[in-house]
């Protein structure tokens, strides 16, 4: 009877582990026995879990789920629901017959966040966390020898796999492939220090594990060599700037050819700038610089007295020719209106004229003696085929100065 009970407990424990594992891999399965190979299914899973989060404890019906995922084809949504229900990522909200509401598994959503972080960081951050937790668990020698053996074998295996991947990418892979896997090199020294600290604790409290600790030392040294060689290849490919985030021209061209308008616009979504005119010849620019006036003497201009001359007018009475010109431009632009949109003002102009008008409006706005203001708002707009093609929403308006 005791053996039978022990066997039932073991089966129950194994079944619980299998159930959690099914919930973890549910977001990664197209069917119950096949992995996802389409990035759109990740977006569908994210949309689905967000809808369950908004619904709260009441859950969602199948019709509500399909409504929340209306942006995706019906057959894709039906397949996703079937997989998630079969693997336990979506479970009945109430334990009763003919119930229609479902709730999402917390484990499944957390597993999706874990996978996304793995894709972004290559798993190295997980290895850092593992080493930190194992060091805390082993400090003081309170763990058993079996637990310590599991730790040293697990860390050695992880480092050896990491070394094998880095060596393959460094020796036989392309620079592009190595650059994509660059997260494996992040904080390499910190990882080596953490692994060495765990090795010292293991050797101090469990000297009988010296053979396995020797294999761990070998794996740590191999990772140090592999990370150094991989970093050297990346830096050599990046050129004299030593910037690891530089991309070769081929990748920029491929991105420009395959990206959508929204993806291209997102590159400069938070940038505001006045693009230089591309129609000036380099030879003309060089000639203009060479023909410019050059200083003939390094002598400084003697200081002027702060006391104005008898016939000199005070500065506030000087006639500001430039201010008068800017005021004329501003009044012509406003045309008796209180304000005008920059987009309306620049539409239809060629880029050279639009730049001149925009420069005058900026100068008028910055002149404290004039009552005008140029206000910018909103993100950069991309207007393919228009002039200007990149435009930030703005308003040029008349400001009443205090009397």
């Amino acid at each position: 009877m005791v053996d039978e009970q022990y066997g039932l407990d073991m089966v129950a424990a194994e079944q619980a582990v299998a159930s959690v594992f099914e919930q973890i891999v549910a977001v990664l399965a197209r069917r119950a026995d096949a992995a996802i190979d389409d990035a759109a299914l990740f977006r569908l899973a994210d949309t689905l879990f967000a809808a369950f989060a908004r619904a709260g404890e009441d859950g969602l019906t199948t019709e509500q789920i399909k409504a929340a995922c209306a942006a995706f084809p019906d057959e894709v949504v039906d397949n996703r629901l079937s997989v998630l229900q079969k693997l336990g990522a979506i479970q009945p909200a109430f334990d009763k017959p003919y119930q229609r509401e479902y709730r999402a598994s917390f484990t499944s959503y957390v597993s999706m966040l874990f996978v996304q972080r793995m894709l972004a960081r290559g798993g190295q951050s997980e290895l850092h966390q593992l080493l930190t937790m194992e060091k805390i668990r082993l400090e003081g020698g309170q763990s058993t020898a079996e637990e310590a053996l599991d730790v040293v074998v697990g860390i050695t295996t992880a480092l050896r796999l990491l070394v094998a991947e880095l060596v393959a990418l460094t020796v036989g892979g392309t620079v592009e492939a190595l650059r994509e896997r660059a997260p494996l090199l992040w904080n390499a020294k910190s990882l080596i220090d953490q692994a060495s600290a765990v090795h010292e604790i293991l050797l101090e409290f469990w000297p009988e594990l010296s053979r396995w600790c020797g294999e761990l030392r070998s794996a740590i040294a191999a990772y140090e060599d592999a990370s150094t060689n991989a970093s050297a290849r990346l830096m050599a490919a990046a050129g004299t700037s030593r910037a690891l985030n530089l991309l070769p021209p081929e990748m920029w061209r491929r991105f420009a050819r395959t990206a959508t308008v929204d993806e291209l616009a997102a590159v400069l979504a938070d940038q505001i700038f006045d693009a230089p005119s591309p129609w000036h010849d380099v030879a003309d620019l060089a000639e203009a610089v060479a023909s410019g006036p050059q200083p003939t003497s390094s002598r400084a201009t003697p200081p002027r007295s702060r006391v104005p001359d008898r016939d000199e007018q005070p500065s506030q009475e000087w006639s500001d020719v430039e201010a008068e010109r800017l005021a004329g431009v501003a009044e012509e632009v406003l045309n008796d209106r209180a304000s005008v949109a920059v987009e309306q003002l620049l539409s239809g102009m060629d880029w050279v004229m639009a730049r001149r008008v925009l420069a005058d409006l900026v100068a008028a706005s910055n002149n404290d003696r004039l009552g005008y203001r140029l206000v910018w708002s909103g993100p950069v707009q991309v207007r393919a085929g228009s002039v200007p093609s990149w435009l930030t929403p703005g308003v040029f308006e008349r400001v009443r100065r205090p009397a």
Side-chain angles (χ1 to χ4, degrees):
M1 187 66 182
V2 175
D3 293 341
E4 181 181 356
Q5 184 64 38
Y6 178 75
L8 291 176
D9 290 341
M10 289 293 294
V11 171
E14 292 176 354
Q15 184 59 37
V17 172
S19 174
V20 172
F21 180 76
E22 286 181 346
Q23 295 178 40
I24 290 175
V25 302
V27 293
L28 303 178
R30 177 184 293 277
R31 300 180 299 278
D33 57 350
I36 281 180
D37 57 4
D38 185 358
L41 294 183
F42 275 100
R43 296 193 295 272
L44 171 57
D46 195 35
T47 303
L48 186 59
F49 283 118
F52 273 107
R54 290 192 296 269
E57 67 276 6
D58 294 333
L60 295 174
T61 64
T62 302
E63 292 76 13
Q64 291 172 328
I65 292 174
K66 291 184 177 180
C69 302
F72 301 89
D74 292 339
E75 61 273 12
V76 176
V77 177
D78 291 336
N79 174 267
R80 193 97 296 261
L81 290 177
S82 175
V83 172
L84 295 177
Q85 290 175 17
K86 185 173 182 179
L87 296 180
I90 293 180
Q91 303 170 354
F94 306 101
D95 187 13
K96 63 180 182 180
Y98 309 109
Q99 67 85 33
R100 301 175 62 249
E101 291 80 15
Y102 293 91
R103 291 176 183 167
S105 164
F106 165 78
T107 304
S108 296
Y109 182 67
V110 172
S111 69
M112 186 173 68
L113 298 179
F114 167 75
V115 171
Q116 290 173 340
R117 188 174 70 249
M118 290 281 288
L119 293 175
R121 294 185 172 269
Q124 203 220 44
S125 59
E126 275 63 36
L127 186 54
H128 278 282
Q129 295 176 12
L130 172 64
L131 289 169
T132 301
M133 291 186 296
E134 297 297 2
K135 180 182 176 183
I136 295 174
R137 185 160 69 100
L138 295 175
E139 283 178 337
Q142 301 301 319
S143 300
T144 64
E146 290 76 12
E147 292 173 340
L149 178 60
D150 291 340
V151 170
V152 67
V153 171
I155 296 176
T156 302
T157 302
L159 287 175
R160 284 177 173 173
L161 291 174
L162 182 55
V163 168
E165 183 171 357
L166 278 178
V167 171
L169 289 171
T170 305
V171 176
T174 63
V175 175
E176 289 76 11
L178 181 59
R179 186 178 287 110
E180 290 177 358
R181 302 296 291 163
L184 296 176
L185 304 173
W186 292 348
N187 300 322
K189 186 179 183 305
S190 174
L191 192 149
I192 293 171
D193 293 341
Q194 287 180 293
S196 300
V198 173
H199 166 267
E200 293 177 1
I201 295 175
L202 288 166
L203 203 57
E204 177 184 359
F205 292 101
W206 296 276
E208 65 272 19
L209 301 179
S210 59
R211 182 172 67 84
W212 288 274
C213 288
E215 296 182 1
L216 176 57
R217 285 196 303 272
S218 176
I220 294 173
Y223 174 65
E224 184 174 9
D225 293 340
S227 60
T228 301
N229 294 334
S231 300
R233 186 182 180 192
L234 283 176
M235 288 190 293
T240 56
S241 65
R242 297 295 187 263
L244 296 182
N245 60 341
L246 287 181
L247 297 177
E250 293 77 11
M251 296 190 70
W252 286 111
R253 286 196 291 267
R254 184 163 61 251
F255 171 75
R257 286 195 298 265
T258 59
T260 63
V261 174
D262 293 337
E263 290 172 338
L264 289 173
V267 176
L268 298 174
D270 57 349
Q271 305 292 323
I272 300 178
F273 62 93
D274 181 17
S277 174
W279 300 285
H280 294 303
D281 186 78
V282 177
D284 295 340
L285 290 175
E287 182 181 356
V289 173
S291 60
Q294 301 295 328
T296 58
S297 175
S298 59
R299 293 179 57 188
T301 304
R304 294 175 58 99
S305 173
R306 295 185 179 181
V307 180
D309 295 336
R310 182 178 303 176
D311 298 332
E312 184 180 7
Q313 295 180 350
S315 59
Q316 60 267 26
E317 297 180 4
W318 291 349
S319 60
D320 192 340
V321 178
E322 178 64 13
E324 294 178 0
R325 186 188 70 82
L326 292 175
V329 173
E331 290 301 326
E332 182 180 356
V333 164
L334 290 172
N335 194 18
D336 295 333
R337 293 171 293 187
S339 63
V340 61
V342 175
E343 178 180 2
Q344 175 186 350
L345 191 62
L346 300 184
S347 297
M349 293 185 182
D350 63 89
W351 180 229
V352 175
M353 179 62 70
R355 289 184 64 200
R356 292 175 180 173
V357 172
L358 186 59
D360 287 340
L361 297 184
V362 172
S365 176
N366 293 335
N367 195 317
D368 296 334
R369 300 180 59 188
L370 302 178
Y372 307 101
R373 180 171 57 192
L374 188 58
V375 181
W376 300 105
S377 63
V380 177
Q381 298 178 359
V382 180
R383 313 186 310 166
S386 302
V387 176
S389 55
W390 299 81
L391 182 66
T392 302
V395 175
F396 184 73
E397 58 187 5
R398 185 181 284 107
V399 180
R400 291 183 179 179
R401 302 293 186 185

